[in-house]
Amino acid sequence: MVKFALPGAEWSLQFDEAAVSMLQRRMQRWARSKESVGQLFTNDLTASTIVISKATSLKALHASWSTVAFDPFDAMRQRQDLLQEGLYCIGLWHTHPEAVPEPSGCDERLAADHARAATTILNGLAFVIIGNRPFPHGWYVGFHDMNRFLRAEISRL
Ligand SMILES: [Zn+2]
């Protein structure tokens, strides 16, 4: 199982198989594909390995090849619904039409807003971008701590 960790952190992040395959299906393989977006959930915030056991979709307000926007109230409703099932939202995912994605300026603002709104034991917001190369090398996995992105590396442990 692939784990991601911030340099020096005592915890790591993992995606279960269902979450990986759900997100891989959203990969933008075609020139006319559009970005998609959703939220990441875990059922245990206290483990030293946080496992993302559910990745959801959010309806895009508008989407193009390289942008996507969603309704924050929709996202809030989804978090409230899943909390009833014991699932905690720890972040966001979206796709990028590039092989090895990096957060854009828009992503920076989006992540900072959501990091401010969310308080988890992670002290930040998990932020995942699905690129065109397969998991795990085509994924950007990081956290936003309200000030900046911290990139998580594939952990050898
Ligand atoms: Zn983006």
Side-chain angles (χ1 to χ4, degrees):
M1 267 303 210
V2 180
K3 291 182 179 182
F4 295 87
L6 293 177
E10 281 165 14
W11 51 270
S12 56
L13 189 72
Q14 209 175 45
F15 298 81
D16 79 1
E17 258 172 64
V20 171
S21 64
M22 186 282 192
L23 291 170
Q24 294 254 70
R25 283 197 299 274
R26 301 309 182 93
M27 216 194 270
Q28 288 183 260
R29 289 189 186 85
W30 300 283
R32 288 164 69 189
S33 64
K34 290 176 176 175
E35 288 198 356
S36 45
V37 64
Q39 300 187 99
L40 303 168
F41 294 84
T42 182
N43 41 31
D44 189 357
L45 284 171
T46 62
S48 60
T49 298
I50 307 281
V51 180
I52 290 173
S53 53
K54 193 176 184 73
T56 63
S57 294
L58 288 169
K59 195 168 56 131
L61 289 180
H62 71 81
S64 71
W65 188 64
S66 63
T67 59
V68 68
F70 60 89
D71 180 349
F73 293 103
D74 227 25
M76 202 199 302
R77 253 193 315 273
Q78 184 179 73
R79 291 198 293 270
Q80 286 165 352
D81 287 349
L82 288 176
L83 193 57
Q84 305 302 313
E85 297 169 32
L87 288 162
Y88 305 92
C89 184
I90 59 163
L92 295 170
W93 66 269
H94 70 291
T95 60
H96 269 197
E98 52 190 338
V100 179
E102 290 286 340
S104 66
C106 271
D107 293 344
E108 177 68 49
R109 287 188 292 278
L110 175 74
D113 284 351
H114 282 265
R116 265 178 231 115
T119 331
T120 70
I121 62 148
L122 304 178
N123 289 321
L125 176 89
F127 200 84
V128 174
I129 306 173
I130 313 300
N132 288 340
R133 281 179 68 195
F135 177 83
H137 300 286
W139 290 24
Y140 172 91
V141 176
F143 294 87
H144 200 284
D145 70 356
M146 289 186 267
N147 298 310
R148 63 195 170 113
F149 279 114
L150 303 162
R151 187 179 194 139
E153 309 283 347
I154 294 171
S155 163
R156 309 269 162 231
L157 301 173

